């Protein structure tokens, strides 16, 4: 969840002259209903086809997997996790058409969905439903980079990686049952032998995932270079996504807390910024027993880039990112303005407050982000009052969070119920 913090590094400002930005309309009952109807029919057809191709245990388990996936995905659509007929749809469809011109292997039945998700990611279902997260639009720099990510996901689709993964999981499940029975039958070194099984399973899974990512890179680039996009942007997109994993989020300054929480109705208190001491905690006991590189579901991007350069020598020459087209700049700005509505929709109210403060610290759209500050604090107040704040606000985790985000979490957990209400009331009245 906290992965989102990447967006806060963007340097350009968003401005919609003469008007306050209004979030995208999600009252799209008719297209959602039509999509669910078609998706359900396609998924049923897919399940029947898999049962024909895979008999016995494999066919039965695949049927269960795809039924469960279908049920979960339909719920997401009903819960308005996606937007329909937006400016994002038109952009993605235009890029896919450009990719399709010289690539007849691209399926014709692709259906586009835009997810209200701030993480820069995309994925494709077996039936041809292609999901693009809004986070990709605000994180990548131009049309070509977005097309490269689409090409990579098409590589997964064409190679049938999802089905391959499910078949391996089904086979490994049967094998694991036999291994567990063997461990139970012999009490000698039972714990160590159980851990060895877990370790080998994780390493094997990591290897298979890395292999699939590199295959999707190679096939994706082949699709990409057959089109009219600039080849070097494929590498630039990978570097941009690497930034998401490696760049530390921008610091939220202490002055920012004092500026926005020293209110006419409630003075700022230094004790709100008190931090818990985690210096004596040891978090490495389990991790030391495993090779962290082998646990990665995606190989290091540097490794993927080097692999592509080895296969395709034309990628060895690095070039600066292309400037965004006007049409891409529009969707990029809209995606950025949708950051807070997306967090609010997913009930990530704590992240919504942290992000609002980051935008306010940068002087962006003050009235807009103050209104979201009030809305999110209102939800935090309700959660604290109902004793379920853990659902909406992370606990401090020094091993996996930046110091700035830990400081923010300490601040939030140090606030009393009445203090939270005062902040919520102040900013909701201001909006």
């Amino acid at each position: 969840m906290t992965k989102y913090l990447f967006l806060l590094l963007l340097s350009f400002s968003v401005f919609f002259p003469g008007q306050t930005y209004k979030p995208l309309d999600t009252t799209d009952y008719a297209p959602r209903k039509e999509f669910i109807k078609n998706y359900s029919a396609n998924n049923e057809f897919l399940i029947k086809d898999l049962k024909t191709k895979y008999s016995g245990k494999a066919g039965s388990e695949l049927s269960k997997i795809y039924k469960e996936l279908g049920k979960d995905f339909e719920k997401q659509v009903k819960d308005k996790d996606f937007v329909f007929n937006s400016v994002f749809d038109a952009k993605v469809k235009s890029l896919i058409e450009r990719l399709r011109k010289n690539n007849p292997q691209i399926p014709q039945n692709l259906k586009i969905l835009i997810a209200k998700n701030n993480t820069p990611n995309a994925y494709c279902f077996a039936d041809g439903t292609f999901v693009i997260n809004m986070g990709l639009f605000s994180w990548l720099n131009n049309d070509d980079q977005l097309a490269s990510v689409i090409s990579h996901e098409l590589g997964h689709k064409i190679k049938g990686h999802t089905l391959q993964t499910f078949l391996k999981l089904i086979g490994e499940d049967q094998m694991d049952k036999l291994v567990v029975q063997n461990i139970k039958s012999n009490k000698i070194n039972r714990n160590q032998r159980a851990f060895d099984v877990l370790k080998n399973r994780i390493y094997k899974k990591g290897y298979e995932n890395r292999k699939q990512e590199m295959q999707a890179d190679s096939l994706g680039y082949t699709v990409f270079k057959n089109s009219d996009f600039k080849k070097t942007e494929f590498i630039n997109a990978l570097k941009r996504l690497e930034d998401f994993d490696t760049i530390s989020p921008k610091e939220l300054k202490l002055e920012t807390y004092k500026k926005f929480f020293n209110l006419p109705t409630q003075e700022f208190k230094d004790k709100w910024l008190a931090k818990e001491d985690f210096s004596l905690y040891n978090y490495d006991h389990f991790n030391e027993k495993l090779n962290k590189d082998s646990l990665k579901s995606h190989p290091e991007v540097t490794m993927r880039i080097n692999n592509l350069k080895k296969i395709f020598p034309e990628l060895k020459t690095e070039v600066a990112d292309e400037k965004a087209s006007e049409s891409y700049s529009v969707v990029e700005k809209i995606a950025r303005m949708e950051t807070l509505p997306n967090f609010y929709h997913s009930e990530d109210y704590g992240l919504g407050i942290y992000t609002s403060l980051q935008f306010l610290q940068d002087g962006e759209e003050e009235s807009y982000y103050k209104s979201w500050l009030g809305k999110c604090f209102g939800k935090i107040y309700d959660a604290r009052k109902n004793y379920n704040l853990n659902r909406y606000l992370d606990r401090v985790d020094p091993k996996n969070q930046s110091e700035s985000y830990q400081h923010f979490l300490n601040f939030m957990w140090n606030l009393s119920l009445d203090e939270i209400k005062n902040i919520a009331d102040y900013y909701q009245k201001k909006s």
Side-chain angles (χ1 to χ4, degrees):
M1 192 181 294
T2 56
K3 269 289 183 199
Y4 158 73
L5 303 179
F6 67 85
L7 274 173
L8 310 178
L9 295 163
L10 295 177
S11 59
F12 67 85
S13 63
V14 179
F15 182 58
F16 291 83
Q19 63 180 33
T20 301
Y21 177 78
K22 293 183 179 179
L24 293 175
D25 185 11
T26 56
T27 57
D28 41 22
Y29 175 76
R32 277 190 291 116
K33 183 180 179 182
E34 183 67 17
F35 177 87
I36 291 172
K37 177 183 175 182
N38 293 333
Y39 175 81
S40 180
N42 290 337
N43 200 46
E44 285 182 21
F45 178 81
L46 174 65
I47 291 169
K48 288 179 182 178
D49 186 53
L50 290 171
K51 280 184 175 181
T52 301
K53 292 179 179 177
Y54 301 94
S55 58
K57 180 74 174 177
S60 174
E61 290 299 315
L62 283 173
S63 175
K64 291 178 184 177
I65 289 171
Y66 278 99
K67 280 181 181 177
E68 199 60 36
L69 284 174
K71 189 188 303 180
D72 180 69
F73 187 60
E74 287 181 26
K75 182 180 183 302
Q76 291 181 48
V77 177
K78 290 176 181 176
D79 289 345
K80 300 184 179 180
D81 289 353
F82 307 94
V83 294
F84 289 83
N85 303 324
S86 66
V87 65
F88 300 107
D89 294 67
K91 171 57 69 178
V92 174
K93 287 175 182 176
S94 70
L95 295 178
I96 290 177
E97 286 309 306
R98 287 171 64 184
L99 289 169
R100 186 175 274 135
K101 283 181 181 178
N102 297 313
N103 293 290
Q105 72 272 39
I106 296 178
Q108 292 294 323
N109 64 339
L110 295 178
K111 294 168 286 294
I112 310 302
L113 274 187
I114 306 300
K116 292 176 63 62
N117 188 315
N118 295 319
T119 306
N121 205 357
Y123 52 95
C124 191
F125 285 96
D127 77 318
T129 299
F130 210 105
V131 177
I132 308 283
N133 287 355
M134 277 191 205
L136 266 179
F137 296 91
S138 56
W139 187 242
L140 299 178
N141 289 329
N142 53 53
D143 291 301
D144 298 56
Q145 291 182 11
L146 182 58
S148 75
V149 173
I150 294 172
S151 298
H152 173 89
E153 293 306 320
L154 285 171
H156 282 304
K157 164 69 176 167
I158 294 168
K159 283 286 188 180
H161 283 157
T162 302
L163 179 59
Q164 290 176 24
T165 299
F166 288 154
L167 287 170
K168 284 174 184 172
L169 286 173
I170 292 167
E172 288 171 356
D173 183 57
Q174 292 298 105
M175 183 64 69
D176 283 352
K177 288 178 181 178
L178 296 175
V179 172
V180 170
Q181 289 175 5
N182 178 265
I183 291 173
K184 286 182 177 179
S185 67
N186 189 340
K187 294 183 179 180
I188 300 175
N189 293 328
R190 181 181 289 177
N191 289 342
Q192 184 59 47
R193 286 188 296 124
F195 182 79
D196 288 342
V197 170
L198 169 65
K199 181 174 66 175
N200 291 334
R201 175 73 175 273
I202 291 173
Y203 284 1
K204 183 178 179 182
K205 182 176 182 292
Y207 169 77
E208 292 296 336
N209 285 347
R210 287 192 290 275
K211 182 179 176 182
Q212 288 187 352
E213 287 302 309
M214 288 189 173
Q215 286 178 347
D217 281 340
S218 297
L219 181 54
Y221 176 68
T222 300
V223 168
F224 185 79
K225 75 172 185 174
N226 287 343
S227 306
D228 58 353
F229 298 102
K230 189 172 182 180
K231 296 181 179 64
T232 51
E233 288 302 308
F234 199 93
I235 296 294
N236 289 342
L238 283 172
K239 289 181 177 179
R240 193 76 185 114
L241 294 173
E242 184 179 33
D243 290 344
F244 169 70
D245 289 323
T246 58
I247 293 181
S248 298
K250 192 188 299 180
E251 179 186 4
L252 191 60
K253 300 174 183 177
L254 297 185
E255 296 78 33
T256 301
Y257 291 95
K258 294 178 180 180
K259 177 179 179 180
F260 293 103
F261 299 117
N262 186 31
L263 310 178
T265 55
Q266 179 172 275
E267 288 188 3
F268 185 86
K269 299 176 183 177
D270 288 331
K271 69 177 184 179
W272 291 342
L273 298 176
K275 294 192 291 185
E276 185 175 350
D277 183 10
F278 290 90
S279 61
L280 299 178
Y281 287 38
N282 180 8
Y283 297 89
D284 292 324
H285 177 69
F286 180 78
N287 286 339
E288 286 174 355
K289 303 180 75 176
L290 294 169
N291 180 332
K292 292 180 182 179
D293 288 338
S294 294
L295 298 181
K296 294 180 182 295
S297 60
H298 292 262
E300 292 290 346
V301 174
T302 300
M303 186 191 305
R304 291 169 60 185
I305 290 174
N306 290 338
N307 184 62
L308 282 168
K309 288 180 177 180
K310 182 179 179 181
I311 300 171
F312 306 101
E314 68 269 22
L315 295 177
K316 290 182 179 179
T317 302
E318 297 187 2
V319 180
D321 293 17
E322 288 284 295
K323 184 179 179 182
S325 64
E326 287 187 16
S327 63
Y328 190 85
S329 295
V330 169
V331 295
E332 185 179 24
K333 290 178 180 181
I334 292 174
R336 185 172 170 85
M337 297 299 285
E338 287 293 317
T339 301
L340 268 298
N342 290 348
F343 274 142
Y344 195 80
H345 171 76
S346 61
E347 300 183 340
D348 292 321
Y349 306 124
L351 279 175
I353 292 170
Y354 186 66
T355 307
S356 294
L357 289 171
Q358 289 278 9
F359 285 131
L360 287 168
Q361 179 175 270
D362 291 342
E364 291 191 29
E365 299 289 326
E366 188 163 306
S367 61
Y368 180 72
Y369 290 113
K370 280 184 176 179
S371 72
W372 284 108
L373 200 61
K375 291 175 184 176
C376 290
F377 261 104
K379 291 295 185 180
I380 290 292
Y381 169 72
D382 291 339
R384 183 72 171 266
K385 186 172 62 175
N386 294 319
Y387 303 99
N388 61 352
L389 185 55
N390 281 308
R391 281 186 59 187
Y392 311 105
L393 183 66
D394 294 333
R395 283 289 186 179
V396 176
D397 180 4
K399 193 70 178 178
N400 298 303
Q401 296 165 344
S402 70
E403 187 174 346
S404 176
Y405 188 59
Q406 291 175 54
H407 208 149
F408 165 75
L409 292 175
N410 276 303
F411 166 78
M412 291 296 295
W413 285 103
N414 285 337
L415 294 170
S416 70
L417 181 64
D418 286 341
E419 289 165 343
I420 292 171
K421 187 176 189 306
N422 288 336
I423 295 171
D425 289 346
Y426 177 79
Y427 280 108
Q428 284 177 330
K429 288 176 183 175
K430 291 277 286 186
S431 61

